[in-house]
Every structure is written in C-alpha cells, then in structure tokens.
Amino acid sequence: MNSRKEEILHTLEMRKQGMTAVQIAELLNIDRTNASRYLNELAKEQRIVKNPGRPVIYEPLSEEQVHVDNSSAVTFDALVGETGSLKVAIQQAKAAILYPPRGLHTIIFGDTGTGKSLFAECMYQFALKSQTLKKDAPFVSFNCADYAQNPQLLFGHIFGIKKGAYTGANEDSPGLIAKADNGILFLDEIHRLPPEGQEMLFTFIDKGVYRPLGESNKTYEAAVQIIGATTESSENFLTTFNRRIPMSITLPSIKARSLDERYEIITLFIKQEANRLKQKIEVEQDAIIAFMLYQAEGNIGQIKRDLKLVCAKAFLHYRTKQQDSLLVRKEDLSLPVQKGLLMRKDYSEDLKQFLEGKGNLLSFEPGATEVVWSQDPERNMQVYNAIEEKVTTLSDQELNNVDLEQLILGDVDAYFETYVEELTQSTLHKELLPKEIWQLTSELYEVAEERLERKYNEKARFAFALHLQSTIERLKDGHTIIHPDLNNIRKNFKQEFQVALDLSTIIEERCHIEIPFDEIGFISMFLSIQVGQNTALPEKNVEVIVLMHGKQTATSMLETAQELLDTTTGIAFNMSLDMEVQTIYNQLLSYVQQNEAKLTGGILLLTDMGSLNSFGDLIYEETGIRTKAVSMTSTMVVLEALRMVDMGRTLEDIYQNTLLSFKAIVKDEFNLHKKKQKKAVVVTCFTGEGVASKLYERITPVVDKSQTEVIQMQFIEKNAFLQHIDALMAEYDIKAIAGTVEIDYQNIPFFSAYEIFDNERLRVLKQIVNDDIPLEKIGKSLQEALTSVSGVEQLMMQLQQLLHHVEGQMHAVLEPSVDAGIMIHLAFLIDNLRNGGTSRQFDNLTSFQKKYRLECDLLRTSLMPIAKNYQVEFSDDEIAYIVQMIQQNKITSTYPLTQKN
C-alpha cells in the first residue's frame, strides 16, 4: 500500500475521535486533495469508517463494527459444475496454464455474470498449485471499460507512463504489465481496447516487449501471461484477437446450467453469507424455488446480488426485532425473483429431489471454510456494517421512527418525478371500457378528490380505469403482484395510502374480491400523480458549471450554448495552463460557498478532462451540496444540460441525459455494422401487467408478430427501467415505447396509454413499426429518373444513414414515409445540382436560420461527405428547406410531459 496512505491510517488509529480531510492535511502537511483521495480509498477498502454529514468525519474501525470476511482462495475444485457444464472449460484452462514454456495467452467468452473473472483467478490459483508460477507471482486484474473513453489514460494504466508524457506527468509510473511481470495480467472486457491499444498489446504478445506512454527510444521486456475476458460472442469477436490469442474458452450462461447446478450455486452463496455473519440463515422453501427458476438476465452475478439483497433484508429484521436467526421469506424477494414461482408447475417433478422431505424452512449453519473469489466485490461487509452501525448508534425510540430499509432499497425521492403529465383536451373513448368500470372509477375519484382536496381530470381516470379492470380480472384468477417498494410508498405518500385503503374497501364490496396491501400501494401511486395539469414544474435550481483548461475555453463554449438557447443559465471557470490545480479548486469552492442558498438542486460540473472530475467529490465533502461531474464535455453536452435545467429537470435526470449525448453518437456509428435485429415495442406501467397488458392487446394485432415482439415491462424507478431498455437494445431494435410514464430516451418514440386507444395515433405507431424504407425498390425506381447520379442504391443508403444521424441529433422521429420522401427529395436535388440547376429561394431565410441555427449547422456538416462525393454545393436555402421538412414532420406525443425548448 502507498506509504502516505499507511501514514494516514496510522494517524487515524492514534486519534480515535475521528478527523476531517482538512485536519489530516494540516497535521501531515500534505495537499488537501490528496488527503481526501487517500481517505476515500481507505473507506472503500473498509479499513476506516466514513461518517455522513458536513464536514465528513473519518474514523478507524472498531472491533464491534466489523463483520470479518474469512475466505480462502478459490480453485477449480470448488467451482459449481466442475464435473458438469464447466468440465471442458476447466480442462482447456489447465492446458493453457501448463503449456510450455510460460502458458498460452487465453480469451474467456461468456455473457455478463457468468463468472469470467472468477474463472481467471482459478487459472491463477492452478498455476500456483502446479508450480507453473512461483508462489509470490502476481495476479493483476484490470477492466478495460473503466477508461474506454480515455485511450491515453487506458494506455498509461496498462503500459506505464514516462515522465513528461503529458502535462502533470511529473514522474515515471509503472504500468500493469510491469506489475504483472512473471505472473498473470487479467484484462476484463478486452474488446473495449481501442485500436491503438490493441496494436500495443499485440506487439507485447508477439515479441514480449512494450513501450510506456511517452517513451520513444527504449523498449522494456516482461514475462506475462495474458488472460482476456469478453461478453462478445466468439463468432463476432475481433479476428486479430482470435489470431493472436490461441486458447479460447466459453463459459455457459445460467440458462445452460442444470437445476442441480443452480441449486448448488444458490445454497453455496447462502452458506457464504451465513459464514460471513456467523449466524444461521433459514430460507423458506418457496424462496429457494423462486431463485432456482427465475430469469436471471445477469446470470450468476445477478443471482449473487439478489441473494445479497434479500440476506441484507433478513439481517435488518434480525437486528431490529431481536430474532434468533436470519429468516429469508418469500415476500422479501424482489418482484423478478418472485416471478420464478410462476414456473413451478413446469418443473414440479424435477424440484422434488431438492426439497422433498426438507420442510418449509431450509437451514444453513455457519462453520465451513468459506471459498470466495478474492477480488469479489460482493464479499465486502459494507451493507451489514451499515445496518449494524445504525442499530448500535440509534436508541429504541429513534429506531421506531427511522425506516432502516432505506439502507437496502436506497433513496426513492425520484420515483414520482417522471410520472404522467398528459396534456390534452380530447374526449376519452369511454366505450373502450365496461360501463360498470367507468362508474366505479368515477365514484372512487369523487371520494379521492374530496379527501385529498385535489382535482383529477379524465386522463387520470382513464389510466386508472384500465388498471382497475386488469386488477379485478387478475385477482379473480387468484394472481397477485408484489409491490417492490411498498414501505416507502406508505411513508412518502401517507395521505394517498390512507385514501387508497378506503377506496380498496369500496372495490372489495362492489366486486366481491379481496384487495391485498401490495395492490393498495399501486392505487396510492395513481392517486399521487397529476395527469394533464398545466402547472409549471417546480424550479430545481440545478447549477451548471463549465470548467475547462485554457484562457477562454469554458467561457466560449458556455456563451455559444447560451446564445443558441437564449438563456443566461450556467457559469464558466477558465483554467489557464499555468494555473495550479489547487488555485482553480479554491476559486470553485469559494463560488459554491458564497452561493450555497441558490444551489439547493445540486451542481452539474462539466469538464474537459477526467482529472477535474475529482472536484465533484471534494465539493460535496466540504459543502454537502450534491455534485455530479461529466468529462469529455462538448458544446452539444453543454446545450443539452442547459436545456434541461431550464425545463426544471432534476440533477440526476440531467446527469444521466448528458451522458447519452456521446453514447448516442457511438450508437449511430456502431449500428452501421450491427447485424439486423428483431424489432420490439415495449409497453410499460407500474405493475408491468395492468395497463401494460391492455396496451399489449391493442398493439399486438396491428404489428407483424413474426418480425416484431411486444414486450411488457414494469416501471417503478426511472434509472432501473432505462437499464432494462439498454439490455433489450443489445438484442432488439426498439421501435417505440408505450405506457403510463413518459420516457424520453435514445430518441425512441413514446406513446401514452391514451394515445394507444386513439386510432389515428395507433396508426402512426403501426407505420413506425411495420414500414421499413424499401431502399432497393426506391433505388430501382429512380435509376432512369436520375440522369447524373450513378450507383443510386448506394446513394439512398448514404442518405438513410445521414437522416438517422441527423434525426438522432435533433431529437426528431419521423414516420418512414416521410423519411423516404426526404431521401427522394435529396436525391433529385443532388441530380439537379450536378446538371447545373439552381436552388429555390427560402422565404424569411434569415429569421429561420436564427431560430434553427443549430439544426442548420448540424445538417450542413452532415451533408459535407455527400457534397464532396457528388461534387455539389448545398445552398443555405436548400438546407433551410430540409430542416423545415424535419421540424414540420416530427412525431411528437399529443400529450407531452413537458414543453421542449
């Protein structure tokens, strides 16, 4: 460990009362930024305690606070599936390690969560055991995705940095290859290496030599066996890697594992938790079955995380209710895990061998030596220590007033920030629902309006009526849905929950059914949303701070964005190249402290280099003001951030959307090379089964089911939902999202629940999903009409790619027929210009360009390659006409969530 870090740890241990980063810096006469960094590293390593508050206090660990993780090194013999699904993979791995003289470089293929990192460490342990490596040989692990957007920093980590390689490189820094000399270097997500990094790695693989970043004359040697891991399929993986790395191993997904192995995996993880806590854990039989059968999209990694969560819940109940042992109950499982029980009938015979005769509770006693991957992030005791700390520091009275489950479930303040804001004056299609459902809904909302002293329009009632109908049908069939965050709903929406209780009584009497507490939670959510109200969004007071190297870089970028949006939002800090880091930080800190009152919504820090991102954590530590930092900022990112601040969006929402600016560009580039995906429409609601099932029934008949899948999903929290969308996009081309909560993401068209029951809007969705532009057909039909253009089909492909890129940047979605029309217009325009034709005059060109300056610049830039290829020049008038076509034909929700700038 770093000697300075050891010195800080020793200082804290000598002063039991705890210290701040400033006190440590002053006492040891070191830079405050470095002191804070070392303290945070120690906290992440769980060698000290970081107490929340302002200022942050760091304390040494006490014996009572720590749950000790006693684990031994993992080996192939301890892996589940050693003689089954992993048998061939293990044989290949052993052969790779034993191959003379220093083993074979190896690539491990497998989906996320299949255990590639664990398998790599098993290879290392086997190398030690077989004496292929010396007992002190290093095993160095690195995830290439951590720095994939910063190639220079990535190269520096792997190959080392020579003094003077760039500003701030004041000393030589050894890389991972040097650290792994005479051992193994494990490169996770190796496919994320950029081309330059690949070439440098291949040179090392071929010749055993490398050059640190900034070294031009001297080469260095090292004896390192490379083990790479990737989620890419072996068929699609880079041929250069396949040629250089001779041994390839593929690990099976959890779906490919037998029930025997899955049961063994689950029980192993529970035994590990029992050992860590030194407490017996009892698990209900239904909970075991649910874990064995649910669809774990993240494979073994997800099973481990889900088990960790449910064991943490059990530990919380154990500590607060003074129970004799930890009890994992079925109702403590998350909704996706509980859905595994729906598969029980399909596996009834197969399950008997695991559970027959064992009673309703399965017991797991501590005692056996735990075998855990030494680098496993799930081995830490942070969750248990946090619960323990709360229990030991709060009085019984305080415990009664504090919802400790927030330690597990996290902050849910953002749950309802994005709920439905459907703005419309249209008449509802009441005939779509049974008359008695409408009557009951009206009665319920009259009670709610009187009790809650608020008004609900017919859009809100329509959404609830859909939900109510599906709920009644579902409960009559004996099928209930678990609300995954019921406790927080009861706490955060007390009035709504109380009214929902009374409404449930009316429903029960009228429909002769019993409404469970979980369903009351969903009713509370409907009562908490205001649908169709023209009220302004609350001011969030998020401050955008642009911080860049250079005399005027930040100021220039911010002023450009402000001029385009006609706003005064944002502030710039310029860091001249001769300015000390501490100086610019002090300026930033001083500004924040002086303006603390107006920064209640938090700070979004936009920087040009990742090194300045550390300011975000430091500002938060010293002031307590929530701060998010984004590096590699461009003018587009600043524009997007300012636009959303002016719309009143929250800090987290703005932060996530600014990250998408770069991601969208990358997506456009890579989509050119991706194989054709099956199309999908996602339908969503709070339960994933209520309104979503009604939307499913409306959409399914109008799409080609052989080409398009309609997927039902639950929406409880925005970020979790977007992660599911990201996962689906790896497999599907998502053409639209429909539901009760508006989603503005990745330029995917959104249709509200009400719009799906509007025949005209449903026709638009149908056209988006079903009508692909027939490029080949259009190309052939234009062959004779275009007299000066050869290769018409190729031109149409270029124009399609251009339009997709432009529409993505403009946040515009067009119907396929409009796309085709613009492409044909451009094709004839190019032909006309090549024949010496003249451009039309655009009325009021100057005012139009002022209003759509950004869009015109974007289109002109995107057309440059085509202009060069076909030797034509697009006039300002023609650019304006095309921008006008896009703007006038954009598909927008009839009932938008917010007014867009």
Side-chain angles (χ1 to χ4, degrees):
M1 176 184 282
N2 183 291
S3 58
R4 180 66 79 179
K5 196 156 64 173
E6 290 284 8
E7 184 180 7
I8 291 174
L9 177 60
H10 178 71
T11 303
L12 282 176
E13 290 173 343
M14 296 297 291
R15 300 196 176 199
K16 300 290 187 182
Q17 72 273 23
M19 301 178 73
T20 66
V22 174
Q23 291 170 331
I24 285 284
E26 291 176 351
L27 181 65
L28 300 180
N29 193 27
I30 60 175
D31 182 77
R32 180 172 54 186
T33 305
N34 290 334
S36 179
R37 177 165 59 86
Y38 290 138
L39 285 165
N40 279 294
E41 288 177 6
L42 286 166
K44 288 178 181 178
E45 294 165 6
Q46 297 180 48
R47 303 191 68 180
I48 63 172
V49 174
K50 180 179 179 180
N51 291 320
R54 203 172 81 201
V56 177
I57 303 294
Y58 298 89
E59 297 177 353
L61 292 176
S62 63
E63 291 290 334
E64 298 77 28
Q65 284 177 307
V66 183
H67 290 275
V68 179
D69 177 16
N70 297 315
S71 58
S72 59
V74 73
T75 65
F76 285 129
D77 295 337
L79 290 183
V80 175
E82 177 212 4
T83 59
S85 62
L86 296 181
K87 184 177 180 179
V88 174
I90 291 173
Q91 289 174 347
Q92 289 177 296
K94 290 181 176 179
I97 292 295
L98 296 174
Y99 194 87
R102 292 197 300 262
L104 292 175
H105 299 302
T106 302
I107 186 78
I108 303 173
F109 295 98
D111 295 337
T112 300
T114 49
K116 299 183 293 296
S117 301
L118 169 63
F119 196 85
E121 188 172 334
C122 286
M123 293 178 67
Y124 168 67
Q125 294 295 339
F126 177 75
L128 296 180
K129 184 179 179 181
S130 63
Q131 298 183 350
T132 304
L133 293 179
K134 296 179 180 179
K135 62 181 180 180
D136 59 349
F139 178 81
V140 178
S141 178
F142 178 69
N143 192 316
C144 298
D146 291 344
Y147 300 98
Q149 306 305 332
N150 192 333
Q152 292 291 93
L153 194 57
L154 189 150
F155 301 158
H157 269 287
I158 296 178
F159 301 103
I161 300 168
K162 189 70 176 172
K163 179 180 178 181
Y166 54 81
T167 303
N170 298 322
E171 58 183 18
D172 290 347
S173 176
L176 299 178
I177 287 182
K179 293 177 181 178
D181 194 17
N182 294 312
I184 290 176
L185 173 59
F186 173 60
L187 296 176
D188 201 3
E189 298 199 59
I190 194 172
H191 61 278
R192 300 294 297 276
L193 273 176
E196 305 97 303
Q198 294 171 24
E199 289 304 319
M200 294 169 74
L201 183 63
F202 295 155
T203 298
F204 175 72
I205 289 174
D206 293 340
K207 302 178 181 179
V209 298
Y210 66 97
R211 277 195 177 95
L213 187 65
E215 176 66 78
S216 57
N217 300 318
K218 186 179 178 182
T219 59
Y220 296 80
E221 294 184 357
V224 178
Q225 183 176 4
I226 303 292
I227 300 178
T230 178
T231 53
E232 296 286 303
S233 68
S234 56
E235 293 81 11
N236 296 333
F237 199 57
L238 300 173
T239 55
T240 46
F241 274 102
N242 288 331
R243 187 170 67 250
R244 279 341 197 291
I245 302 179
M247 178 60 77
S248 64
I249 297 172
T250 301
L251 300 185
S253 67
I254 195 66
K255 293 178 182 178
R257 299 276 197 130
S258 65
L259 274 183
D260 301 67
E261 290 185 6
R262 188 151 177 166
Y263 177 77
E264 193 176 344
I265 289 168
I266 293 164
T267 54
L268 172 65
F269 288 158
I270 298 174
K271 288 174 185 175
Q272 290 175 358
E273 297 302 310
N275 285 338
R276 296 178 196 190
L277 293 168
K278 299 181 180 177
Q279 295 288 344
K280 179 174 74 172
I281 298 179
E282 294 183 311
V283 186
E284 288 183 355
Q285 186 180 103
D286 280 352
I288 293 287
I289 294 173
F291 268 107
M292 290 178 67
L293 300 181
Y294 86 111
Q295 299 297 314
E297 296 177 3
N299 293 290
I300 298 174
Q302 182 173 336
I303 292 175
K304 177 174 259 191
R305 287 190 295 273
D306 289 337
L307 275 168
K308 184 89 170 179
L309 175 64
V310 79
C311 287
K313 288 183 182 179
F315 181 72
L316 184 143
H317 293 308
Y318 162 77
R319 290 296 286 116
T320 56
K321 298 178 181 179
Q322 303 299 314
Q323 297 173 339
D324 295 331
S325 62
L326 280 74
L327 175 62
V328 174
R329 302 168 300 174
K330 178 185 73 174
E331 54 263 37
D332 290 330
L333 309 184
S334 64
L335 180 61
V337 178
Q338 290 199 42
K339 284 187 175 181
L341 292 171
L342 300 177
M343 306 289 291
R344 187 171 189 164
K345 288 184 179 179
D346 298 335
Y347 294 91
S348 57
E349 290 299 318
D350 298 321
L351 290 170
K352 286 183 180 179
Q353 60 173 308
F354 303 106
L355 305 171
E356 198 170 48
K358 295 184 179 179
N360 187 48
L361 292 179
L362 280 74
S363 295
F364 299 86
E365 300 278 356
T369 301
E370 183 187 354
V371 178
V372 183
W373 170 37
S374 66
Q375 301 186 53
D376 184 0
E378 301 299 331
R379 73 182 291 180
N380 70 72
M381 310 302 292
Q382 186 174 350
V383 173
Y384 300 125
N385 288 338
I387 295 172
E388 190 73 76
E389 183 181 350
K390 277 286 188 187
V391 174
T392 55
T393 56
L394 297 180
S395 66
D396 292 340
Q397 181 62 37
E398 287 173 318
L399 281 173
N400 291 331
N401 298 327
V402 174
D403 183 5
L404 290 179
E405 291 206 11
Q406 285 223 8
L407 289 168
I408 310 304
L409 297 174
D411 184 9
V412 293
D413 290 344
Y415 271 15
F416 304 103
E417 289 176 0
T418 57
Y419 285 171
V420 191
E421 290 287 343
E422 296 181 346
L423 308 173
T424 181
Q425 304 302 320
S426 302
T427 305
L428 283 168
H429 304 284
K430 293 184 178 181
E431 69 276 6
L432 293 172
L433 289 167
K435 184 178 180 181
E436 58 271 18
I437 293 292
W438 265 116
Q439 290 176 340
L440 178 55
T441 298
S442 297
E443 290 179 31
L444 296 174
Y445 270 84
E446 285 174 10
V447 173
E449 287 181 342
E450 181 180 352
R451 292 279 303 280
L452 295 172
E453 298 181 348
R454 67 183 67 155
K455 291 291 183 181
Y456 297 91
N457 64 19
E458 288 204 70
K459 299 299 175 294
R461 299 179 182 218
F462 178 77
F464 179 78
L466 282 172
H467 172 81
L468 178 61
Q469 183 187 27
S470 63
T471 298
I472 293 170
E473 294 171 356
R474 181 163 29 81
L475 292 175
K476 285 184 176 180
D477 290 338
H479 176 42
T480 60
I481 294 179
I482 304 300
H483 195 298
D485 200 37
L486 184 61
N487 285 340
N488 278 320
I489 294 297
R490 295 175 66 179
K491 185 183 76 170
N492 294 336
F493 299 94
K494 293 178 181 177
Q495 283 185 294
E496 290 86 349
F497 192 84
Q498 189 59 52
V499 173
L501 279 170
D502 296 337
L503 298 186
S504 68
T505 302
I506 299 174
I507 298 170
E508 287 177 338
E509 292 176 352
R510 191 71 55 83
C511 303
H512 309 293
I513 57 175
E514 183 176 343
I515 304 291
F517 254 46
D518 294 275
E519 296 289 352
I520 295 171
F522 287 117
I523 296 174
S524 303
M525 293 171 71
F526 275 96
L527 295 179
S528 73
I529 61 175
Q530 289 292 326
V531 185
Q533 304 303 314
N534 288 301
T535 54
L537 288 170
E539 179 58 52
K540 297 299 181 183
N541 295 323
V542 176
E543 178 76 289
V544 173
I545 298 178
V546 184
L547 175 60
M548 302 276 181
H549 290 81
K551 291 182 179 180
Q552 289 293 318
T553 309
T555 299
S556 176
M557 187 176 291
L558 178 63
E559 288 178 349
T560 300
Q562 288 174 331
E563 183 181 345
L564 287 168
L565 296 176
D566 191 22
T567 182
T568 58
T569 300
I571 185 170
F573 281 83
N574 300 295
M575 181 181 173
S576 59
L577 298 182
D578 59 353
M579 183 182 291
E580 295 290 336
V581 173
Q582 190 65 46
T583 303
I584 190 67
Y585 174 72
N586 288 336
Q587 290 180 9
L588 178 62
L589 176 61
S590 176
Y591 171 80
V592 172
Q593 290 173 334
Q594 291 172 16
N595 295 275
E596 190 168 342
K598 73 172 188 177
L599 302 177
T600 55
I603 299 169
L604 182 68
L605 187 63
L606 303 178
T607 73
D608 54 353
M609 296 186 190
S611 57
L612 298 180
N613 277 18
S614 59
F615 285 8
D617 292 334
L618 294 173
I619 290 294
Y620 175 68
E621 276 197 21
E622 296 208 42
T623 67
I625 295 173
R626 292 181 305 127
T627 305
K628 293 286 188 180
V630 178
S631 63
M632 297 179 67
T633 297
S634 64
T635 304
M636 284 296 295
V637 170
V638 179
L639 274 166
E640 189 72 3
L642 297 185
R643 183 181 69 83
M644 288 186 288
V645 167
D646 287 343
M647 289 166 55
R649 305 278 277 270
T650 64
L651 175 62
E652 185 62 33
D653 199 14
I654 298 170
Y655 173 68
Q656 294 296 335
N657 276 279
T658 52
L659 294 179
L660 291 179
S661 297
F662 179 75
K663 184 176 180 181
I665 296 171
V666 174
K667 175 190 167 189
D668 285 342
E669 294 297 323
F670 278 92
N671 274 347
L672 303 180
H673 308 288
K674 286 176 66 174
K675 62 182 181 181
K676 188 173 182 180
Q677 297 172 304
K678 186 174 183 179
K679 294 181 288 190
V681 177
V682 174
V683 292
T684 178
C685 67
F686 298 141
T687 66
E689 300 188 22
V691 178
S693 65
K694 298 297 179 185
L695 302 181
Y696 180 92
E697 292 170 4
R698 283 282 292 176
I699 294 172
T700 302
V702 303
V703 300
D704 182 352
K705 291 186 284 293
S706 66
Q707 300 291 324
T708 306
E709 189 169 339
V710 183
I711 302 170
Q712 293 177 238
M713 287 180 60
Q714 184 180 27
F715 184 103
I716 290 296
E717 194 274 325
K718 181 178 179 180
N719 287 335
F721 179 81
L722 296 185
Q723 288 175 6
H724 286 305
I725 293 294
D726 283 339
L728 285 175
M729 289 175 73
E731 185 177 351
Y732 295 96
D733 176 14
I734 300 180
K735 308 298 288 188
I737 300 174
T740 54
V741 183
E742 181 161 350
I743 295 296
D744 178 13
Y745 190 60
Q746 295 279 26
N747 215 40
I748 302 172
F750 173 81
F751 293 81
S752 71
Y754 177 69
E755 287 178 287
I756 297 303
F757 286 88
D758 181 297
N759 289 334
E760 181 59 27
R761 297 298 290 171
L762 186 64
R763 183 196 65 78
V764 173
L765 182 142
K766 174 185 177 182
Q767 191 168 357
I768 290 173
V769 174
N770 291 342
D771 290 353
D772 288 326
I773 300 176
L775 291 181
E776 185 177 349
K777 185 176 179 181
I778 293 176
K780 288 181 178 178
S781 66
L782 297 179
Q783 286 282 8
E784 295 183 4
L786 301 178
T787 59
S788 299
V789 176
S790 59
V792 177
E793 280 188 44
Q794 185 175 0
L795 171 62
M796 300 311 293
M797 288 182 63
Q798 291 175 339
L799 292 175
Q800 183 186 51
Q801 292 169 5
L802 177 142
L803 271 181
H804 285 173
H805 171 74
V806 169
E807 290 166 16
Q809 292 296 300
M810 291 186 184
H811 300 282
V813 178
L814 275 61
E815 291 186 33
S817 59
V818 176
D819 264 337
I822 296 176
M823 288 164 53
I824 293 171
H825 166 80
L826 278 167
F828 276 105
L829 174 60
I830 292 168
D831 188 63
N832 178 53
L833 293 174
R834 285 179 61 83
N835 284 323
T838 58
S839 297
R840 299 170 294 167
Q841 299 298 308
F842 189 92
D843 294 337
N844 301 315
L845 177 63
T846 303
S847 60
F848 183 86
Q849 287 179 321
K850 183 177 180 181
K851 183 177 181 180
Y852 294 106
R853 177 178 167 183
L854 181 65
E855 289 81 358
C856 289
D857 286 349
L858 172 65
L859 179 61
R860 178 174 293 283
T861 304
S862 301
L863 280 169
M864 285 175 66
I866 290 179
K868 182 178 180 181
N869 288 344
Y870 292 92
Q871 298 180 328
V872 296
E873 183 176 342
F874 296 99
S875 68
D876 290 346
D877 299 89
E878 293 294 353
I879 294 290
Y881 273 119
I882 299 168
V883 170
Q884 186 182 59
M885 291 179 201
I886 295 173
Q887 293 299 316
Q888 291 181 347
N889 289 281
K890 286 196 300 188
I891 294 173
T892 57
S893 174
T894 313
Y895 324 108
L897 177 65
T898 54
Q899 294 296 325
K900 304 287 192 295
N901 285 350

